[in-house]
Amino acid sequence: MDEHCEVNWLVDTEQANARQGTVRWDPVHSLWNGGHLAVALAIAPFVASPGAVLTGIALTGLFLLLGHSVGFHRLLIHQSFRVSRPLFRFLIWSGTVAGMSGPFWIMRTHDLRDWAQRQAGCHDYLAHRRSMPVDAWWQIHCTLRLDHPPRFDPRNLGRDRFLHFLEKTWMAQQLPLAALLYAIGGWGFVVWGISVRIALTVHGHWFVGHLAHRRGPQSWLVKGAGVQAHDVPWAAIPTMGEAWHNNHHAFPGSARIGLYPGQSDWGYAFIRLLERTGLATDVRTPDMMIARQALLGPARAGDQRRLRHHPCFSRQNR
């Protein structure tokens, strides 16, 4: 199997078990997420202005694109393309400023879920299997402590001082941006550009993730996986293409997630722009993952042929 389709940062030890564990309150992330939501609900309406609202929306989209989708997910976690060291640091900083957590926490949390969903069975927390209110509380305010987790091994990234700096200061990274926003437009810009943005990012990320493991269109089934993914078409644009989650489960190491005509993928469009300007190399797409196709089965009749003949699987038509 192509190594870029593996879970990159976990070591699956013999004792590792995805089923047995305890959900516990996570005070750091709970207070952070709940605090920004409270500010967004209680204060934002009273300091709203056209400029503040537009700034909040624009910054939400900007950091979702550069930081969460391109920087954290496709670059840091899946290594689906390469960039220079300065650009790498800028994109990972953008992911940190998106406001969900630091880079190592994101890597560990993401890969634990990926690893667990590929097992024959896993804990309800990792499968988004509970009702929406319970899953929201679990994902936004709690963490899962597995009795026997796999080992987290960031390898060479574990020696990166810049990543450790971001991990330790991920909440404080909002302060320079907050100061700039205050200088431009006062407290209204700060509330909308920081708290509303973070609340939208955190809660939107959970909501789309919940739906993507519960209902929606499917093209592919991953053989042996206890949890399958679904697409959430209406969320394709606000998630920068991440909502084509069934495609992502099929080819997790691909920089391109929107595979079919009409599947908007702004994250991949930005990576292609970087590639055309010489700022990104080794951009990986499903045509480079032939071994991965052996692990996939079509969710509908005819999909296997439709995938193999799609232009995105032809290097010259990429």
Side-chain angles (χ1 to χ4, degrees):
M1 186 190 344
D2 190 302
E3 67 276 9
H4 285 258
C5 286
E6 297 284 2
V7 177
N8 290 322
W9 310 113
L10 292 183
V11 177
D12 190 359
T13 60
E14 184 178 351
Q15 296 80 16
N17 186 311
R19 291 186 175 93
Q20 298 173 356
T22 304
V23 179
R24 299 180 180 177
W25 182 53
D26 178 350
V28 173
H29 290 89
S30 179
L31 294 174
W32 174 261
N33 297 335
H36 284 293
L37 178 63
V39 171
L41 294 176
I43 299 178
F46 300 101
V47 295
S49 67
V53 173
L54 288 175
T55 297
I57 294 173
L59 289 178
T60 300
L62 180 68
F63 286 115
L64 281 174
L65 173 63
L66 299 182
H68 177 70
S69 178
V70 174
F72 268 3
H73 193 208
R74 307 190 205 202
L75 177 59
L76 180 65
I77 293 172
H78 288 293
Q79 299 184 311
S80 61
F81 64 103
R82 298 181 185 274
V83 294
S84 67
R85 194 64 180 167
L87 183 54
F88 173 87
R89 290 186 169 187
F90 170 73
L91 292 173
I92 303 310
W93 172 83
S94 298
T96 304
V97 177
M100 289 198 294
S101 198
F104 289 116
W105 187 92
I106 292 289
M107 291 164 66
R108 184 186 296 107
T109 300
H110 175 281
D111 273 14
L112 181 64
R113 192 177 307 277
D114 263 21
W115 166 80
Q117 291 178 358
R118 297 179 193 191
Q119 311 302 312
C122 68
H123 194 282
D124 286 354
Y125 176 99
L126 297 165
H128 294 276
R129 198 172 285 126
R130 293 296 183 93
S131 66
M132 190 171 287
V134 172
D135 193 54
W137 171 252
W138 277 7
Q139 305 298 332
I140 297 172
H141 298 279
C142 301
T143 188
L144 174 67
R145 303 286 181 85
L146 287 176
D147 296 341
H148 302 284
R151 179 164 56 88
F152 178 62
D153 181 12
R155 297 191 294 280
N156 60 310
L157 293 179
R159 298 187 294 271
D160 191 312
R161 294 182 179 180
F162 181 70
L163 294 185
H164 281 286
F165 169 72
L166 292 179
E167 185 73 15
K168 292 177 181 178
T169 64
W170 67 273
M171 287 185 280
Q173 293 300 318
Q174 304 297 330
L175 296 177
L177 178 59
L180 177 62
L181 291 171
Y182 181 80
I184 294 173
W187 286 113
F189 275 53
V190 174
V191 170
W192 281 87
I194 302 295
S195 289
V196 173
R197 171 177 59 82
I198 291 174
L200 288 173
T201 298
V202 169
H203 292 80
H205 179 266
W206 160 75
F207 184 57
V208 174
H210 179 83
L211 296 180
H213 296 95
R214 297 293 295 264
R215 60 180 68 88
Q218 288 180 307
S219 297
W220 308 105
L221 300 177
V222 180
K223 297 175 182 177
V227 178
Q228 302 291 338
H230 303 261
D231 293 329
V232 188
W234 63 263
I237 291 178
T239 63
M240 307 302 162
E242 300 289 333
W244 305 114
H245 203 60
N246 182 255
N247 293 342
H248 178 60
H249 269 225
F251 296 96
S254 173
R256 182 173 187 172
I257 300 177
L259 300 182
Y260 296 112
Q263 291 188 342
S264 172
D265 188 351
W266 288 14
Y268 180 67
F270 180 73
I271 294 170
R272 287 287 288 142
L273 177 63
L274 294 178
E275 186 180 39
R276 291 191 183 101
T277 55
L279 296 176
T281 60
D282 298 330
V283 178
R284 302 183 65 82
T285 50
D287 64 296
M288 306 170 69
M289 303 173 186
I290 303 302
R292 180 69 182 173
Q293 297 185 30
L295 296 179
L296 303 178
R300 299 187 302 269
D303 270 344
Q304 194 76 35
R305 184 176 184 276
R306 184 163 70 104
L307 175 69
R308 288 175 176 168
H309 290 81
H310 192 275
C312 76
F313 289 87
S314 172
R315 295 283 297 169
Q316 63 268 27
N317 292 328
R318 238 179 0 106

